[in-house]
Amino acid sequence: MNYTVCYLKNLNNKYLFLYRNKKKHDLNKGMHIGIGGKVEPGETIYDCNKREVFEETGININVFSLLGVVKYVDHKANIYQAMYVFYSEDFIINDNDYICDEGDLYWLNENEFYEVRHFKGDEYFMKYVFKKESFGIFCCYYDGQDLIRVLHNGIVVL
């Protein structure tokens, strides 16, 4: 399964996150995550990125760049996913009062991100996102909610 996520940075050096708190059965419930979702059949990752950002936020992104790929593996749960990580500073907010049906939207700076609940594996690639740097590929291995191993471009970092 392939996914996209986009980190939108505003003029106040804050990034838009989705606090997942509205769906009953949600693997991401209670977590702050980037804006994105599943790549549909026949859809490119670029088209998916634009669509998902608009569907979840009402924001149109004009220019965005691919920073890298994060692969998630949980053998016990039979999860094998690839997430394409995008970044944008060039977007149009159409509605400041947009209501997302998956959770609440928050603008957080880097320090605030580390203070809120998020997936531990996100910390490995977010340090690159906050610097707008390409990072190649991260592979995050989970056992349920526990992060047990991380590879960065083939090198073990956890």
Side-chain angles (χ1 to χ4, degrees):
M1 187 82 42
N2 290 328
Y3 294 85
T4 63
V5 65
C6 191
Y7 292 95
L8 288 80
K9 180 181 176 185
N10 69 16
L11 297 175
N12 298 319
N13 291 321
K14 292 194 173 194
Y15 299 80
L16 189 58
F17 286 89
L18 174 59
Y19 175 60
R20 296 289 289 256
N21 62 352
K22 293 186 178 177
K23 289 183 172 182
K24 281 187 177 182
H25 304 287
D26 186 354
L27 178 68
N28 298 315
K29 189 171 184 86
M31 298 294 196
H32 290 78
I33 62 173
I35 309 303
K38 188 180 353 176
V39 179
E40 299 294 338
E43 185 176 48
T44 69
I45 59 172
Y46 305 99
D47 291 338
C48 174
N49 186 50
K50 288 187 80 154
R51 176 184 55 77
E52 285 288 347
V53 168
F54 183 76
E55 286 178 1
E56 292 184 2
T57 68
I59 293 173
N60 287 312
I61 50 177
N62 298 317
V63 178
F64 55 95
S65 57
L66 178 64
L67 297 182
V69 180
V70 179
K71 296 189 175 200
Y72 294 101
V73 178
D74 185 334
H75 294 296
K76 290 182 183 174
N78 203 29
I79 294 174
Y80 306 93
Q81 301 172 342
M83 181 176 75
Y84 296 86
V85 180
F86 291 95
Y87 177 95
S88 179
E89 297 176 354
D90 186 353
F91 51 85
I92 299 170
I93 299 175
N94 298 306
D95 181 358
N96 284 322
D97 298 318
Y98 188 85
I99 297 173
C100 178
D101 63 357
E102 295 183 15
D104 298 325
L105 298 166
Y106 293 99
W107 292 96
L108 304 174
N109 65 32
E110 183 175 352
N111 292 330
E112 291 168 330
F113 165 74
Y114 290 110
E115 294 172 5
V116 298
R117 192 161 180 241
H118 57 272
F119 288 104
K120 190 71 174 164
D122 290 2
E123 293 180 12
Y124 288 88
F125 69 86
M126 285 304 298
K127 60 185 170 186
Y128 292 91
V129 171
F130 291 133
K131 294 186 283 187
K132 192 182 173 182
E133 291 181 3
S134 296
F135 56 81
I137 299 175
F138 275 99
C139 294
C140 298
Y141 295 84
Y142 281 88
D143 184 0
Q145 293 289 326
D146 298 324
L147 182 64
I148 57 173
R149 186 173 188 213
V150 177
L151 301 176
H152 183 215
N153 294 323
I155 298 170
V156 177
V157 293
L158 173 69

